[in-house]
């Protein structure tokens, strides 16, 4: 079966940086578009960023544009979300998700088939 595992969540001060990592098992990492979502308490899960299977296409939510960077390392088979200039409103559970085989980047939740359990990011102001 497919497993999606996120790591790297932590408590960080506002203005700080953090890098999340995601690994998948049961699928060929290189072949799939992937993305990051987040969900704050009392709010709906929202798209943060996505990257196409080839790495050429990347999408970001307006709220993180210019502060977050999504990177896929197809050699190490790891997806990263590099976050800088963190704000209190970035506090949420962050989820890694796997989208379509040979697919482009997407911020539509319907395009994602497999999800991790999440990693908590807390930004203190």
């Amino acid at each position: 079966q497919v497993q999606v595992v996120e790591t790297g969540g932590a408590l960080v001060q506002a203005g700080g940086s953090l890098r999340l990592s995601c690994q998948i098992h049961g699928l060929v990492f290189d072949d799939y578009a992937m993305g990051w979502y987040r969900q704050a308490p009392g709010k709906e899960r929202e798209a943060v960023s996505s990257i196409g299977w080839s790495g050429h296409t990347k999408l970001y939510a307006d709220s993180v544009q210019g502060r977050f960077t999504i990177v896929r390392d197809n050699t190490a088979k790891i997806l990263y979300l590099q976050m800088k200039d963190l704000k209190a409103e970035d506090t949420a559970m962050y989820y890694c998700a796997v989208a379509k085989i040979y697919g482009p980047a997407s911020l539509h939740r319907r395009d994602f088939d497999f999800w991790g359990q999440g990693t908590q990011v807390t930004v203190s102001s």
Side-chain angles (χ1 to χ4, degrees), residues 3-72:
Q3 284 186 305
V4 182
V5 181
E6 310 95 334
T7 56
L11 172 64
V12 62
Q13 289 189 333
S17 299
L18 200 61
R19 187 177 74 171
L20 305 182
S21 301
C22 173
Q23 293 180 284
I24 61 173
H25 306 278
L27 291 173
V28 179
F29 178 89
D30 305 18
D31 293 345
Y32 288 82
M34 299 184 70
W36 290 96
Y37 275 70
R38 68 185 181 186
Q39 187 168 18
K43 295 188 177 181
E44 291 189 357
R45 193 171 296 191
E46 63 175 358
V48 174
S49 181
S50 177
I51 187 167
W53 75 278
S54 67
H56 294 315
T57 58
K58 301 180 182 182
L59 295 173
Y60 296 94
D62 290 343
S63 59
V64 306
Q65 182 76 46
R67 299 188 298 121
F68 290 12
T69 303
I70 190 169
V71 177
R72 65 185 304 150

